[in-house]
Amino acid sequence: MTRPFRRRVLYLPGYDPIPPRRYRELYRREGAAQATISGYRLDFGARRDRTGFGWGVTGAFPQGEAQADIEVLVWADVVAGSMGRSIPATYGQLVRTAWAYIGSGALCRLMRLRRGPVIAALYPIAVLLAQLAAALALAGLLWWAGAVWLHWLPGLAAGLAAAAALLWWFRRIDGRIFAYYLMHDYAFTAQDGGAYPPALEARIAAFADRVAKVLAGDWDEVLVVGHSSGAYLAVSVLADLIRSGRAPEDGRLALLTLGHVVPMASFLPNAGRLRDDLRYLSVRPEVDWVDVSAPGDACCFGLCDPVSVSVGEPAGRRGPLVLSGAFTQTLSPAAQRALRGRWFRLHFQYLCAFDRPGDYDYFAITAGPLRLADRFAGRAHSPGRIARAVNDWPGRKDGAP
């Protein structure tokens, strides 16, 4: 009896403080739906390797059977640690982050790629400023009323108290508005001009060690998946891994980046480490890299080649292959209507079921019997790929390879 194809998936989420079990629940729910739609079978259970957090899945496909162990590379604690900010501190982040993008010229260059993600980046600034304006207007109104009817001092005290209460209420309902969440996200990326903070560098090193340990196992494919901000972190993880000589050139290592926001980081002046990693990884034979995004996803740089737009076309480039998620074709009109205006849900569609599936199927990729390179062998970039180099910043100045 032929042994089932064996895959290890290491999933690197974006800037997200939610516990990793939510990704397991999402995978099981959406995977079951996709299997019903596409006519294959998925069975879910525990992982054989219990290191870290994850789950197991077995798949029966027309091409054969497969077993996969899926592990989440957790950095939610780093995310949560960057979000514990007071209201005044968040407004301080707003000023510093806006200046990081405007003062460096990054915002103008980003606008030359896709306006959707730039508008999404401006959303928390606009909302937080509107909230502050509303609070100040309320304070001014109560100050004026107090001065007319009583005295300006109690009116001022009442106005300041009401403004503080209103700002507190706005923050309390941010689970529906996401202004504070997005502000922390962009501020985290923009801190130190795009350089990775020490806590994140340490986590990237730990992830590289983890991938190296998995590669030493008996797997037919080791697939690293990076979603949103996790896409550029995955690039740095694998660049460090290959530089250290711990990735054999045997066709087993693959990278799938989904809904990337690479330019939000790589266009900043101090992101030379990331730009070098993009350039380096794009030419390496040890990894097969496919990037999937969709112009309909306003939270990502849809079909923007993460390497080309950041550093140009390196000599000897091998990846990534840039493909479209084609949401307008792979989602029915009814599904598209249901997702209209739900930016965050649409940004996670790469991890969900499609009711009109095309070439991209997250569950067939992660639980099926074909390697990523074999699945997309012979494919060309999607026609709408944006590959013009609009970034002016070079790589690192320390001469590191």
Side-chain angles (χ1 to χ4, degrees):
M1 183 175 178
T2 304
R3 188 193 78 168
F5 185 91
R6 299 182 70 243
R7 175 183 292 105
R8 187 58 179 269
V9 180
L10 298 133
Y11 173 72
L12 219 172
Y15 185 87
D16 196 343
I18 67 172
R21 67 174 181 275
R22 294 279 296 275
Y23 291 106
R24 178 186 62 196
E25 295 162 2
L26 177 69
Y27 189 96
R28 289 179 172 179
R29 181 181 70 247
E30 296 295 326
Q34 190 68 73
T36 299
I37 293 168
S38 299
Y40 50 75
R41 191 183 81 243
L42 294 179
D43 296 307
F44 308 99
R47 266 179 33 219
R48 287 163 289 277
D49 177 358
R50 301 300 180 89
T51 304
F53 179 87
W55 60 93
V57 57
T58 59
F61 292 78
Q63 302 93 338
E65 296 186 353
Q67 298 174 347
D69 278 6
I70 300 174
E71 178 180 345
V72 179
L73 298 177
V74 180
W75 63 294
D77 56 320
V78 177
V79 173
S82 72
M83 296 180 70
R85 307 284 179 172
S86 66
I87 293 173
T90 300
Y91 279 93
Q93 280 187 330
L94 184 156
V95 174
R96 292 191 298 273
T97 303
W99 177 247
Y101 282 103
I102 296 171
S104 66
L107 185 65
C108 293
R109 292 191 292 275
L110 291 170
M111 288 289 286
R112 293 167 59 188
L113 293 178
R114 291 280 187 193
R115 293 189 177 183
V118 177
I119 292 172
L122 294 175
Y123 166 82
I125 295 176
V127 171
L128 288 173
L129 290 178
Q131 291 177 0
L132 181 61
L136 292 176
L138 178 61
L141 178 62
L142 292 178
W143 185 7
W144 173 81
V148 171
W149 297 104
L150 297 170
H151 186 270
W152 69 268
L153 189 57
L156 176 61
L160 292 176
L166 182 60
L167 289 173
W168 175 84
W169 180 76
F170 280 137
R171 180 164 188 178
R172 186 170 184 180
I173 65 169
D174 196 63
R176 286 177 281 170
I177 299 173
F178 299 110
Y180 278 85
Y181 165 75
L182 284 172
M183 190 70 260
H184 295 320
D185 185 355
Y186 296 123
F188 184 80
T189 301
Q191 63 180 317
D192 300 323
Y196 292 144
L200 195 53
E201 282 283 11
R203 198 59 53 93
I204 288 171
F207 291 161
D209 291 342
R210 183 64 187 144
V211 178
K213 186 173 182 179
V214 170
L215 273 171
D218 183 23
W219 303 98
D220 297 309
E221 181 177 60
V222 174
L223 174 63
V224 178
V225 179
H227 174 246
S228 193
S229 302
Y232 65 76
L233 297 185
V235 167
S236 291
V237 168
L238 293 191
D240 284 358
L241 175 78
I242 295 171
R243 283 193 190 100
S244 67
R246 293 180 291 172
E249 189 182 335
D250 58 7
R252 292 189 303 134
L253 180 62
L255 171 62
L256 175 66
T257 48
L258 304 171
H260 80 80
V261 292
V262 168
M264 291 300 298
S266 65
F267 279 32
L268 290 166
N270 295 337
R273 191 263 220 254
L274 173 57
R275 290 188 288 272
D276 283 348
D277 293 344
L278 287 163
R279 186 182 296 107
Y280 179 80
L281 197 66
S282 69
V283 303
R284 299 306 304 180
E286 294 90 345
V287 61
D288 293 295
W289 180 7
V290 174
D291 178 76
V292 179
S293 59
D297 174 12
C299 294
C300 84
F301 284 85
L303 291 182
C304 292
D305 187 313
V307 174
S308 298
V309 301
S310 300
V311 298
E313 286 288 333
R317 170 193 164 123
R318 299 181 72 255
L321 171 65
V322 177
L323 299 176
S324 175
F327 290 174
T328 57
Q329 301 171 33
T330 53
L331 293 171
S332 66
Q336 292 180 55
R337 284 194 297 271
L339 292 172
R340 190 169 296 155
R342 299 175 62 190
W343 288 5
F344 284 103
R345 172 57 181 80
L346 198 62
H347 190 45
F348 278 84
Q349 180 58 41
Y350 309 95
L351 311 177
C352 298
F354 292 86
D355 57 356
R356 291 184 175 179
D359 291 341
Y360 173 74
D361 180 332
Y362 181 62
F363 305 97
I365 290 171
T366 54
L370 295 179
R371 287 180 175 177
L372 187 69
D374 294 334
R375 178 174 296 276
F376 296 107
R379 283 291 303 271
H381 298 297
S382 289
R385 169 181 173 246
I386 297 173
R388 58 183 180 273
V390 297
N391 188 32
D392 296 336
W393 299 107
R396 286 180 288 189
K397 298 178 180 179
D398 57 7

